[in-house]
Amino acid sequence: MIAPSSRIAAMDVLRGCAVMGILWMNISSFALPQTAYFVPSVAGPLSVGDKLFWLTSFLLFDGKMRALFSMLFGASMLLLIDREEMAGRNGQRAQIIRAAWLFVFGLAHYMLLWSGDILMNYALIGLVAMMFIGKEPLSLLKWAFLFFLAHFLICTAFVLSLHGWAEAAAAPDASATLKDSFARYIGALSNPYDPAIREEIATYRSSFATIVAHHLELYVSNWWWSFFLSAFDTLGFMLMGMAMLKGGFLTGRWQAEQYWRTARHCFLIGLPPMAGPAAWLILRDFPALPSLATSLAWSFPFRIPLAVGWAALILWVFVRHGERRIVMAVARTGRLALSNYLGSSLFMCALFYGWGLGLFALLRPSQLPLLVLCAWLFMLVWSTAWLARFAIGPSEWLWRTLARGKTQKIRNSI
């Protein structure tokens, strides 16, 4: 058993960085056609600033922040189960109930706000991760890398199938139907003037009801496929988080020098192999299939050390400077991670969708970081102000109230 604690400050800081980093990773999906996440040229001709934004996102944020969030979810699940069982309650039953309500939150988030929701994935994959809670750290890591391998093989098979489709469509004897279907797929992936892209832009600039109907259609036709593509990746990082918690890594118990060495080694392992494909894509103006393949498959093995490197670097800062105001503000942001995650979606959808300001596909990628920085500042300020009066965030309070079946305390004790 891991000794329970009301809060683990190191994990709050990590969680705060993760929820802030996830917004940087996701903002292109809020502001631009969905495929811009994989093929940035779908946003139109790219300036140097646009390419720099993509490069920063690809090297430092893409997949790494979600991985960090997944590690923390696995670790927090383990802490919750331990805490419930040490209080004489059924820990696994409590987690199942929490997961069920988290799925409901995610479904509402998906339908009413943003189709990039991760909460439903975490709710379902967390149930699978529960099967591994009793395993030792080394065993958890072995299982994690087995699931990473499964994820890589699935993504590779998908990418290779697309290349096979491209070769078949380019063959001299290819049928008109085959050529047309592949051309439509590539157009919807990378051509800013493709009818599918224009239709998506029109949809997100339209009414709330139209957008909800579109999300319902996406959920029915696409959600399980996207879930399958990310499930093993997420499960692997959840198990890695459990192992890192049991080893004391996530709780800030290591020496600062250990965290620094780990961060340095991980970034040296992960960044150089990512930089080569990134430079190739920029020089080739982001060809559709290579861009998609690099994002989905070829970069994945290097996300693993980079995610660990980010965790180690953040914890190095925490161990050395944990009392500084900015670090404490990040920790408060992490305490309200669910509220900040959902609040970010509400804020960004209000900026970009038709029921708000309607800026969808009107801003350049290079303009998006300024919005992210403003959102980060708001997260830090409001989280600090909220926690001065309340014990937990509004979304956290609702989740806990529903999961426990009775109204929970929200105000700080006087």
Side-chain angles (χ1 to χ4, degrees):
M1 288 284 184
I2 298 166
S5 170
S6 56
R7 302 297 316 180
I8 297 177
M11 290 179 61
D12 283 336
V13 172
L14 285 168
R15 197 175 288 111
C17 290
V19 76
M20 293 166 73
I22 280 175
L23 178 57
W24 180 292
M25 182 181 77
N26 288 340
I27 191 164
S28 64
S29 297
F30 284 115
L32 302 168
Q34 299 302 299
T35 56
Y37 187 96
F38 305 106
V39 187
S41 56
V42 79
L46 300 176
S47 68
V48 173
D50 296 335
K51 293 176 182 179
L52 183 60
F53 169 69
W54 175 85
L55 181 64
T56 304
S57 302
F58 177 73
L59 293 180
L60 298 179
F61 292 94
D62 179 31
K64 294 85 174 174
M65 296 297 107
R66 187 175 63 248
L68 184 56
F69 215 58
S70 300
M71 292 179 198
L72 292 164
F73 189 90
S76 298
M77 184 175 66
L78 193 60
L79 287 171
L80 168 75
I81 292 173
D82 280 357
R83 184 167 60 244
E84 290 293 308
E85 291 184 348
M86 293 182 75
R89 297 185 289 266
N90 187 321
Q92 294 201 22
R93 180 178 181 275
Q95 176 57 31
I96 291 171
I97 295 173
R98 281 169 60 90
W101 282 113
L102 187 64
F103 187 90
V104 172
F105 274 54
L107 184 60
H109 179 222
Y110 185 105
M111 293 296 181
L112 301 178
L113 291 176
W114 185 52
S115 61
D117 171 75
I118 60 172
L119 300 180
M120 289 186 288
N121 298 42
Y122 280 15
L124 296 178
I125 296 165
L127 296 178
V128 179
M130 284 174 53
M131 300 167 56
F132 299 86
I133 58 176
K135 295 190 178 296
E136 295 299 317
L138 183 58
S139 178
L140 286 167
L141 289 176
K142 289 178 179 178
W143 278 103
F145 278 90
L146 182 63
F147 290 126
F148 290 150
L149 176 61
H151 172 78
F152 179 72
L153 293 176
I154 290 169
C155 290
T156 299
F158 174 64
V159 166
L160 292 179
S161 72
L162 293 179
H163 281 285
W165 188 12
E167 290 180 7
D173 59 345
S175 68
T177 301
L178 178 61
K179 291 180 179 180
D180 181 64
S181 64
F182 182 73
R184 280 189 282 109
Y185 179 83
I186 292 297
L189 188 65
S190 59
N191 181 4
Y193 304 105
D194 187 85
I197 298 297
R198 306 316 299 176
E199 182 180 355
E200 181 182 358
I201 292 172
T203 296
Y204 283 109
R205 289 181 184 171
S206 60
S207 67
F208 179 77
T210 300
I211 294 172
V212 171
H214 176 63
H215 287 175
L216 177 60
E217 181 183 350
L218 284 178
Y219 183 78
V220 172
S221 63
N222 191 55
W223 186 81
W224 283 103
W225 169 241
S226 62
F227 171 79
F228 177 68
L229 275 180
S230 65
F232 290 108
D233 168 10
T234 303
L235 179 57
F237 281 114
M238 283 186 184
L239 300 188
M240 180 176 279
M242 290 181 183
M244 294 164 81
L245 176 68
K246 291 185 176 185
F249 180 93
L250 291 182
T251 57
R253 296 177 187 171
W254 287 19
Q255 296 296 317
E257 182 59 27
Q258 290 178 286
Y259 285 122
W260 177 252
R261 286 199 305 269
T262 301
R264 184 179 62 219
H265 292 159
C266 286
F267 280 108
L268 286 174
I269 292 169
L271 276 180
M274 295 273 285
W280 187 90
L281 290 174
I282 290 173
L283 291 173
R284 299 297 190 281
D285 290 325
F286 301 98
L289 285 188
S291 296
L292 179 63
T294 300
S295 182
L296 281 181
W298 313 143
S299 64
F300 173 73
F302 310 108
R303 291 183 207 158
I304 302 169
L306 288 174
V308 176
W310 265 117
L313 181 61
I314 294 165
L315 289 169
W316 174 76
V317 173
F318 170 78
V319 171
R320 289 176 59 90
H321 307 290
E323 298 302 318
R324 294 202 174 182
R325 292 177 63 182
I326 183 61
V327 177
M328 295 172 67
V330 172
R332 296 185 191 104
T333 301
R335 287 180 60 181
L336 306 185
L338 181 60
S339 294
N340 278 312
Y341 174 70
L342 296 175
S344 296
S345 292
L346 179 61
F347 178 70
M348 291 300 166
C349 291
L351 278 178
F352 294 110
Y353 290 180
W355 53 264
L357 296 182
L359 297 177
F360 190 81
L362 292 179
L363 298 183
R364 299 304 305 159
S366 58
Q367 296 173 300
L368 301 180
L370 179 60
L371 294 177
V372 175
L373 293 176
C374 291
W376 285 357
L377 179 61
F378 182 79
M379 286 185 195
L380 294 170
V381 172
W382 101 269
S383 298
T384 297
W386 180 273
L387 288 173
R389 297 186 60 188
F390 300 98
I392 57 177
S395 299
E396 289 78 4
W397 172 83
L398 180 59
W399 186 20
R400 190 176 299 181
T401 294
L402 293 169
R404 294 189 177 178
K406 61 180 180 180
T407 302
Q408 299 295 296
K409 174 181 174 292
I410 188 170
R411 288 189 175 273
N412 284 322
S413 300
I414 299 176

